[in-house]
Amino acid sequence: MRICTLAVRGAGGLALAAALAAAPGTAVAHDQDQVEARVTPADGSPGGQVEVRVSGCRGTTGAAGSGAFAKDAALTGGGKSLTGSARIRAGISGTYEITVTCDGHPHQGVGTVRVGGAQATPQAPVRAGGGGTADLQPVAAVAEEAGPGTRHAVVGLVLAGAAAVAVALRSVRRRRSD
C-alpha cells in the first residue's frame, strides 16, 4: 500500500485526505498469487516440446519464459486458462522457474519446469525389429562404447603405412638379389 502525505487545508481537504489514505494506491503490485503455470509433461527432456498452461490471467494473450526454454512460449486462449508450447533447450538439466507476462504485468516464479539429463537410448537393440523390448541406458554410456574414434583411426593409418613401406622395401631387396 502507498502512504501519502498531503498538506490539508480546511474540512473538505481533510475528508479528501482521509478518503485517499483509505483507498489502495494505483501502484499496488498485481496479485501474483492468482497466476499459476503448469508444464506437460512434468519432466521435459532436452530438445523436447512441452505444453504450458497458465491460469489466473484475465486477458486472452500472454507469454511464458524460462531459462529452460529455447524461446518464450506465446500464450493464447481466454476464460480460465492460456496455453502455448515451448521447446526445451538442448544440453541442460535441472529445475527452472517460469515467468509469465499477462494482463500487462510480469509474474515471476509462478511455476517450474523440470528437465531430465541425457535422453535414454536402447542399450542392445534387436536387429530385426524388437521395438521397445531393448533395455534403456543413458546416451553418454552408449557414446563410450560406440567403437574406435579419431585416435584409433590415425594409429591404424600409421601402422598400415609402415606395413606398406616394409613390403615395398622387401620387394626391392628381392629384385636386387635376383
Side-chain angles (χ1 to χ4, degrees), residues 29-57:
H30 189 70
D31 187 12
Q32 288 193 182
D33 293 336
Q34 295 176 347
V35 177
E36 183 179 5
R38 295 196 183 270
V39 176
T40 307
D43 291 323
S45 59
Q49 192 87 4
V50 293
E51 182 179 324
V52 182
R53 181 173 299 275
V54 177
S55 61
C57 292

Side-chain angles (χ1 to χ4, degrees), residues 105-128:
H105 302 283
H107 306 275
Q108 296 180 336
V110 295
T112 58
V113 57
R114 289 187 314 254
V115 181
Q119 293 176 328
T121 59
Q123 181 178 8
V126 179
R127 291 188 187 270

Side-chain angles (χ1 to χ4, degrees), residues 131-171:
T133 60
D135 294 329
L136 297 178
Q137 76 179 38
V139 171
V142 172
E144 292 174 3
E145 300 172 1
T150 305
R151 186 177 74 209
H152 295 101
V154 170
V155 169
L157 288 173
V158 168
L159 290 173
V165 169
V167 169
L169 288 175
R170 188 169 194 189
S171 66

Side-chain angles (χ1 to χ4, degrees), residues 10-28:
L14 184 58
L16 177 64
L20 286 175
T26 57
V28 173

Side-chain angles (χ1 to χ4, degrees), residues 2 9 16 18 23 41 45 59 61 66 72 79 81-82 106 119 134 144 146 165:
R2 187 174 56 172
R9 293 189 184 172
L16 177 64
S45 59
T61 61
S66 174
D72 288 356
S81 66
L82 301 175
Q119 293 176 328
E144 292 174 3
V165 169

